[in-house]
Amino acid sequence: MMLRILSSEFLKIRKKLIWLLVAAGPIGVVALQAVNYGVRYDYLVAGKETAKLWSGLIGNVSMLALPALMVGLALVASMTAGIEHQMNAWKLTLALPVRKRQVFAGKFLLTALLLLISCTLLVPLTVALGLALGFDGPIPYGDLLTNAYYPYLAAMPFIALQAWLSVTMANQTLPLTIGIVGMIVSMFAGGRFPDWVPYKWPQLVNASHEPLYSVTAGVALGLVVFVAGMAEFVRKDVK
Amino acid sequence: MMRMFRSEWMKIRRSVVWLLVAVSPLIAALFGLFAAKKGGDFPWLEALSLMSVLHAMLFLPLLTGVYAAMICRYEHTGGGWKAMLAMPVSRTQVYVVKFVIVMLMLAATQLLLLIVLLLVGFARGFSDPIPWRELASSFLGGWIACLPLAALQLFVSVAFQSFAAPLAVNVVLTLPNMLVVNSAKVGPYYPWAQPMLAMIPRDHYGFGAFNLPLETLFGVVLGSFCVFFVAGWAYFARKAV
């Protein structure tokens, strides 16, 4: 059942601007770093060892990818929910023989999958940029993958929150503003907030230097927020 | 024209807009209260740069987009454009009024931030006289630097029905700010970086593109403003609603 709902969700966003955004996020991040490396090649590249070059590149890419992910998840969530809001189609969607719970889960999964695609795209794009800049030696695939997927998993509470807010509020101003504020808070959360603040998790920094703690906490809280949102949506009257 | 302003006012009077106007100044206030140093030679200007970094680099450009998308929302939902243009008003008037409203909301944001800055200053007991000239040029400059962004965002907001699409455009163009402001070559010519370049006090924190004379910045601002505004206006005048 879930699969069929998901496939109908994908059908709804066929040939929509959403796909452009999903691709533009990672491409924009890597392109900006390409410009950055192009302009400051001497400073960033010349005379450094290969391992340092790759880790530097990965660090630079994720520095930009984090805010892009944090605000991108708000935009994607708003766009996926916006389809029903714009056409006033919640009634129609929910009149189908599906459970409200499943519709909500479908929206959340769609948002999460689209963002997963974005994060996945970061890997080949970063590799391509590294190779284009002439980095030789072994490509650190492990680091690349952790830097693409750990922040994504740690940002799960925000994906769930934005999916919930966007679905439940017809006016998208508030969800999007919350998303933008969230992005800005998370950018400056690094050294300033204690470890329990979720906005810090996507940066994967914590007192015990174990990124997996942030990831675990993110997935766990994400699940909680998702269930809370689902409970609210099931009780909600749609207009 | 006055009547059109009044009708726009009625649409936004009791909406979440006012919450949005307060968001950035409130966050800046937290920053100022917890991080501003009391010592230092120029407490006011240091507090200003501290509080306006976030505001000018990200909030101001992003909020411009939110405001523009927001004032087009009522027209996009439920065929409001048709209803509005069926009135005895010209499209140019409609477009100009919408644009002025966006700029007024930005002015309210700037004003609120200024008030917050003064409050923070008094709360922390800055003993120096308030540098009105620098503050005025910073806040007014930041506001003027938003002109091109507001013009472009209004264009995109009128064009796209979805609320998030114009914001996506906005975010894609604003995020590069994080890199661009450090570059002396690109910074002065990148419209989205202008609010930050115009707002940060230039004498004490000059690096990257911050050293550029105001004339260059405002040449870029006014130039890109004309391009974006004329493009948006021409599009709206021909748009089938």
Side-chain angles (χ1 to χ4, degrees):
Chain A
M1 194 61 202
M2 226 33 245
L3 266 180
R4 277 158 65 195
I5 289 186
L6 209 55
S7 77
S8 93
E9 290 292 341
F10 272 107
L11 195 64
K12 284 185 216 164
I13 59 164
R14 243 186 105 208
K15 299 195 181 167
K16 285 259 183 188
L17 217 63
I18 266 189
W19 288 107
L20 192 69
L21 185 66
V22 167
I27 293 176
V29 165
V30 174
L32 267 173
Q33 283 306 337
V35 175
N36 187 22
Y37 271 78
V39 173
R40 304 197 291 160
Y41 188 84
D42 294 333
Y43 173 73
L44 289 167
V45 176
K48 292 195 180 165
E49 352 163 3
T50 318
K52 282 248 176 65
L53 286 177
W54 278 109
S55 67
L57 177 65
I58 294 172
N60 276 325
V61 166
S62 45
M63 180 194 87
L64 274 180
L66 269 182
L69 171 68
M70 289 299 286
V71 76
L73 61 90
L75 289 170
V76 171
S78 170
M79 281 170 136
T80 51
I83 301 164
E84 264 81 6
H85 285 309
Q86 257 169 42
M87 303 291 151
N88 286 322
W90 283 111
K91 273 217 160 98
L92 283 177
T93 307
L94 295 176
L96 298 171
V98 289
R99 290 173 168 279
K100 263 178 128 176
R101 204 182 291 152
Q102 292 168 329
V103 173
F104 184 82
K107 283 288 179 206
F108 168 76
L109 278 180
L110 176 69
T111 310
L113 279 177
L114 288 173
L115 290 163
L116 186 66
I117 297 173
S118 282
C119 290
T120 309
L121 278 176
L122 269 181
V123 178
L125 286 169
T126 312
V127 171
L129 176 59
L131 293 177
L133 286 167
F135 299 178
D136 45 6
I139 300 170
Y141 280 111
D143 281 358
L144 279 166
L145 290 174
T146 45
N147 267 285
Y149 293 126
Y150 279 10
Y152 165 77
L153 291 172
M156 210 42 94
F158 303 105
I159 301 179
L161 178 73
Q162 292 295 340
W164 174 16
L165 292 177
S166 298
V167 164
T168 201
M169 294 183 182
N171 187 343
Q172 294 295 300
T173 318
L174 216 53
L176 281 168
T177 310
I178 292 173
I180 289 174
V181 172
M183 166 193 95
I184 295 175
V185 170
S186 78
M187 274 173 65
F188 290 82
R192 288 188 181 84
F193 290 162
D195 279 350
W196 56 263
V197 178
Y199 287 103
K200 203 177 169 181
W201 298 345
Q203 296 183 346
L204 308 176
V205 279
N206 50 42
S208 38
H209 302 287
E210 177 53 68
L212 278 174
Y213 288 166
S214 303
V215 172
T216 319
V219 173
L221 185 63
L223 212 61
V224 172
V225 176
F226 169 70
V227 171
M230 187 188 267
E232 192 268 349
F233 181 71
V234 169
R235 275 169 188 71
K236 185 179 172 281
D237 237 2
V238 288
K239 289 196 202 99
Chain B
M1 284 294 258
M2 265 331 280
R3 286 185 186 171
M4 294 180 69
F5 277 111
R6 208 175 302 153
S7 88
E8 287 295 326
W9 171 250
M10 280 170 75
K11 285 184 224 165
I12 59 168
R13 196 171 54 171
R14 303 239 172 129
S15 60
V16 282
V17 158
W18 307 112
L19 209 69
L20 303 189
V21 168
V23 162
S24 179
L26 279 181
I27 290 186
L30 289 179
F31 249 69
L33 278 177
F34 291 115
K37 288 193 302 269
K38 202 176 166 189
D41 297 333
F42 303 95
W44 286 105
L45 294 187
E46 277 167 22
L48 169 65
S49 17
L50 185 79
M51 288 167 66
S52 59
V53 162
L54 268 182
H55 172 75
M57 181 160 85
L58 295 168
F59 269 122
L60 203 52
L62 291 175
L63 277 179
T64 311
V66 177
Y67 292 156
M70 168 118 197
I71 59 156
C72 291
R73 199 183 99 86
Y74 289 93
E75 275 67 32
H76 277 313
T77 55
W81 289 117
K82 278 204 171 90
M84 192 163 183
L85 294 176
M87 308 269 180
V89 289
S90 79
R91 288 189 178 211
T92 308
Q93 280 175 332
V94 172
Y95 197 75
V96 169
V97 168
K98 292 254 180 229
F99 181 77
V100 172
I101 293 278
V102 174
M103 288 313 290
L104 284 179
M105 293 205 280
L106 286 170
T109 312
Q110 291 288 79
L111 204 63
L112 203 59
L113 186 72
L114 178 60
I115 293 172
V116 162
L117 174 69
L118 294 177
L119 287 178
V120 165
F122 292 134
R124 311 273 320 209
F126 291 167
S127 51
D128 287 35
I130 301 170
W132 285 112
R133 223 176 67 84
E134 281 85 354
L135 290 188
S137 80
S138 163
F139 282 87
L140 207 63
W143 184 64
I144 295 174
C146 283
L147 278 169
L149 316 193
L152 182 78
Q153 282 313 130
L154 189 60
F155 178 10
V156 207
S157 300
V158 164
F160 292 127
Q161 226 192 359
S162 137
F163 192 93
L167 275 185
V169 174
N170 192 14
V171 167
V172 167
L173 291 166
T174 302
L175 276 186
N177 267 359
M178 292 167 57
L179 288 179
V180 161
V181 288
N182 293 316
S183 151
K185 258 185 275 178
V186 196
Y189 304 105
Y190 191 65
W192 284 262
Q194 305 305 321
M196 174 145 189
L197 301 183
M199 269 197 90
I200 303 289
R202 39 198 49 254
D203 301 336
H204 311 289
Y205 292 87
F207 66 89
F210 293 92
N211 288 325
L212 256 106
L214 278 179
E215 294 79 44
T216 322
L217 297 186
F218 282 102
V220 174
V221 166
L222 293 179
S224 50
F225 165 63
C226 291
V227 172
F228 292 152
F229 189 83
V230 170
W233 167 74
Y235 169 80
F236 184 62
R238 279 170 189 73
K239 184 184 195 259
V241 293

